Amino acid sequence: MPGGTPARARDVARVGRTPLVPVRLRVAGRWREVGLKLEQFNPGGSVKDRTAYALVADMEDRGLLGPGRTVVESTSGNLGAALAYVCRSRGYPFVAVVDPMTSRRNLDEMAAQAATVERVDAPDAHGGYLRARLRRVRELLASDPTCVWPDQYRNPANPRVHREQTGPEILRHGSGRPDAVFVAVSTGGTLAGVAQYLRRVAPECRVVAVDVRGSVAAGGHVPDAEVVAACQLLRAETGVGVGGSSGAVLAAAARYLTGRPEAERVVCLCADGADRYEDTLYSGAWLREHGLATGTTGAAAARAQVAGLAFDAVALV
């Protein structure tokens, strides 16, 4: 990330260099090492901190962002909270265009950073909210010439920060090169950047994309119950709490290792921590409401235990 003002240097110094914590995962009676790249140790609590700083710095460097300008971005989750923090630290107003799926925790974090929240309630023709959010972003840009849009979906600064920062950290921290790295798809920037770096310097390392909605990875489907079970098993047995996409990544890694006895070590990029999900994935009431309580989640956990799946802490930091 380019240099610049002292404020930017301080911001950049606080982002990244998150710990890669090794845990042991017992799959089919054998212990394998899983490195957890814990992005919750970024100042704003998620991997999106890296993206937010990169997007803002890129706009500043191109002369698109400065005093009197307002940042507007479409977000359904952690990027909104990260951009709210970055923009406030730089003195820019921020407008987050969100939808009904945005968590109360992220909305509260945006509000705490004085962000303006614009919510779209009507889904688009495909039943989702992305196109509706983008339409609202364009309306805001058209109505106010001081607004600027980082465009996280197409801005090359998004994958670049993960190619230059996140990917190298994965190889730099840990006991040797992993056989595979698991990354949630999300909006694609993190995955693309990490994959670009690893393909260049460690082509033997497989990069596995995990689609959190449906969690299709490594040739199989990871049900929601297994995602919840992975989160809860990990915290119960190691004390490490991770978020929903990380549960999907862990479940996908377990399936990958089950079918590949030769693989000894993998890395899971854990986008955020359990603190954002205490009232959802870790809440009995929420799990019951969504049909993921003892009956389904417990069954998934029991199947995992019967198959020999268990976590064990190696060196928590």
Side-chain angles (χ1 to χ4, degrees), residues 76-92:
S76 61
N78 289 336
L79 182 65
L83 275 171
Y85 177 84
V86 175
C87 288
R88 189 175 190 185
S89 73
R90 299 278 226 277
Y92 305 127

Side-chain angles (χ1 to χ4, degrees), residues 9 37 48 61 72 82 84-85 103 105 109 116 129 135 186 194 232 248 254-256 259 271 291 301:
K37 184 64 170 162
K48 294 296 186 179
D61 289 340
V72 179
Y85 177 84
S103 72
R105 171 66 183 266
E109 289 192 9
T116 299
Y129 291 97
R135 183 167 57 249
S186 185
V194 169
Q232 295 186 342
R255 286 177 169 237
Y256 177 92

